[in-house]
Amino acid sequence: MSTPTPQRELLQRMFQAAIDAAQPAHCIPACLPPPPKGRLVVIGAGKASAAMAKAVEDNWPGPLSGLVVTRYGYSVPCERIEIVEAAHPVPDAAGLAAARRIRDTVAGLSADDTVLCLISGGGSALLALPLDGITLEDKQQIARDLLKCGATIGEINCVRRHLSAVKGGRLGAACHPAKVVTLLISDVPGDHPGDIASGPTVGDATTCEDALAIIRRYGIELPPHVHAILEHGSGESVKPDDPRLRGNETRIVAAPQLALEAAASVAREAGVTPYILGDSIEGEARDVGKVMAAIARQVQLRGQPFSAPCVLISGGETTVTVRGQGRGGRNVEFLLALGVALDGAAGIHALAGDTDGVDGQDEVAGAYLAPDSLARAWALGMRPKDSLDDNDGHGFFGALGDAVVTGPTLTNVNDFRAILVTVPAAT
């Protein structure tokens, strides 16, 4: 592990502040609806859904019941709301069973009842109930292909909405005539409700043809029976003007911008000027890393567009087109590309991580990059560019002892990136 430094400590405190700002216990209570005449039924899906359910239980004045599904290891004990766990990012049988049970839970409600739906990132995989004629195995393979091809989260979720029996407004329609209040913790660029867990309770303006266009764009092979569902339009989602959704409410209770602002406050208190470059940055992780390296060097060499010392903060959701055999995730891919582009530039430190505590499929949130990271890698016999080509960010930073491990954070507002430029370059 690299020697602990004040720079690393500051970046880690900023990351933790971003995570803390999106904790359900802080953001759920003020957004609860008034008690209904009838029952309050709580449902939900996502990496933060169990913690959201706990916040509801702790602050709801009357009776309630319900069921939510979260990622394995993200459960929080609740007394009146049942918590079940399932797989992410590729769905499994537990997620399918949970989605079916959640749909059954809201069947037969009255207009006096309210459904409180707790949705956060990860809900697309966790709430996995395919349309009739599509198997779980079909969904699993399509999910793997979409995750590897470099598609954006918006594109991935468009396809998901048109192959699901609960996404794209279908779960909201199933609650009719009960009122649905959806509380969202956003993990998507732009905070569009339809892209958060693929919008199970909100109307969807995209079409089966849009989903097919995405499949063609990335050359994904669909089984013939799945392709036919999209081709013939039988997988069409519930549209925004559907009368079954009328009167429902959707509220975003936490989002990436809130987390970035919390991190910026920590930097400011430490005497370092923060600059938030954007909360919805997308693109190939390695390309974003190269661009951010160029910006950091411009700050250091030219004092443009900002003067050092400063910290450049950004969020969003990058993508990785997987071509290698390594262990990686989009944040360590970004960080490794950043390091290769900086080539050991003195005075520049960085941290990147996923606020849910899992970058890719490893139980690692992200990593830390120091000015000497590449030199230490070479000393260990590693070739940084080869590691990048092999999509092996976790292997690279793990060997250096610079992985950032948080454990389950019980929330998710997507990627966090911070680049600390401590001093101008020597002249």
Side-chain angles (χ1 to χ4, degrees):
M1 178 176 177
S2 59
T3 303
T5 63
Q7 295 88 353
R8 179 171 185 163
E9 192 271 340
L10 172 60
L11 291 169
Q12 289 180 320
R13 285 195 293 116
M14 291 173 62
F15 185 38
Q16 189 60 51
I19 293 169
D20 291 344
Q23 286 299 318
H26 298 158
C27 56
I28 289 289
C31 297
L32 292 175
K37 291 181 181 179
R39 301 168 56 197
L40 180 77
V41 178
V42 179
I43 60 174
K47 297 173 188 175
S49 63
M52 295 171 81
K54 174 64 172 172
V56 172
E57 277 201 355
D58 289 345
N59 292 277
W60 186 255
L64 57 80
S65 63
L67 170 67
V68 305
V69 57
T70 192
R71 188 183 194 271
Y72 290 120
Y74 282 59
S75 181
V76 174
C78 291
E79 296 180 0
R80 293 172 287 169
I81 302 171
E82 182 182 355
I83 310 296
V84 296
E85 296 181 327
H88 179 277
V90 177
D92 67 356
L96 186 150
R100 184 175 286 116
R101 288 185 60 203
I102 287 173
R103 189 178 62 174
D104 292 344
T105 295
V106 300
L109 297 178
S110 76
D112 289 334
D113 300 324
T114 293
V115 176
L116 182 61
C117 188
L118 309 174
I119 296 295
S120 64
S124 289
L126 296 165
L127 202 63
L129 185 61
L131 289 171
D132 290 343
I134 301 176
T135 67
L136 176 61
E137 291 73 22
D138 292 334
K139 290 273 285 187
Q140 289 172 329
Q141 187 56 54
I142 294 166
R144 293 187 188 100
D145 291 343
L146 286 168
L147 290 167
K148 290 180 179 179
C149 73
T152 67
I153 189 61
E155 291 171 328
I156 291 172
N157 285 349
C158 177
V159 175
R160 284 167 162 167
R161 286 193 294 270
H162 293 91
L163 300 178
S164 172
V166 288
K167 301 180 180 71
R170 291 184 179 90
L171 185 58
C175 297
H176 183 76
K179 179 177 182 176
V180 180
V181 177
T182 302
L183 304 185
L184 300 169
I185 294 182
S186 173
D187 71 326
V188 299
D191 303 329
H192 190 279
D195 279 334
I196 304 169
S198 301
T201 61
V202 297
D204 172 38
T206 66
T207 65
C208 284
E209 181 53 41
D210 293 327
L212 269 178
I214 292 164
I215 293 298
R216 297 187 194 105
R217 185 176 307 144
Y218 292 98
I220 294 173
E221 293 291 331
L222 293 180
H225 59 282
V226 176
H227 190 277
I229 286 173
L230 297 179
E231 187 73 35
H232 301 312
S234 56
E236 201 52 79
S237 51
V238 175
K239 300 309 169 191
D241 60 354
D242 192 293
R244 293 171 295 176
L245 304 182
R246 190 173 298 137
N248 292 347
E249 298 178 11
T250 302
R251 306 169 187 171
I252 294 179
V253 300
Q257 180 67 18
L258 175 71
L260 301 184
E261 289 174 355
S265 294
V266 171
R268 202 173 288 113
E269 291 167 3
V272 179
T273 304
Y275 296 98
I276 297 177
L277 303 184
D279 69 340
S280 56
I281 294 175
E282 297 182 89
E284 280 285 330
R286 63 179 62 201
D287 294 338
V288 175
K290 292 177 184 176
V291 171
M292 291 294 184
I295 294 172
R297 290 293 283 164
Q298 186 74 4
V299 168
Q300 188 177 64
L301 293 169
R302 309 294 185 194
Q304 297 171 334
F306 316 115
S307 298
C310 67
V311 60
L312 311 176
I313 308 171
S314 64
E317 184 165 356
T318 60
T319 54
V320 175
T321 301
V322 179
R323 297 184 176 92
Q325 302 297 316
R327 296 179 299 109
R330 57 183 182 261
N331 287 285
V332 289
E333 179 108 347
F334 159 83
L335 204 62
L336 183 50
L338 177 79
V340 168
L342 288 173
D343 195 26
I348 300 179
H349 305 248
L351 185 148
D354 198 316
T355 54
D356 66 4
V358 179
D359 186 33
Q361 297 190 44
D362 281 65
E363 302 303 314
V364 178
Y368 165 73
L369 176 76
D372 65 349
S373 292
L374 266 61
R376 288 188 290 119
W378 281 104
L380 292 174
M382 293 190 295
R383 298 174 181 269
K385 290 182 180 179
D386 290 349
S387 294
L388 183 59
D389 289 341
D390 200 32
N391 304 118
D392 195 32
H394 284 314
F396 181 87
F397 289 106
L400 296 181
D402 285 339
V404 173
V405 180
T406 62
T409 64
L410 308 181
T411 191
N412 183 21
V413 286
N414 229 319
D415 298 342
F416 171 87
R417 297 178 291 269
I419 304 170
L420 177 63
V421 185
T422 58
V423 293
T427 57

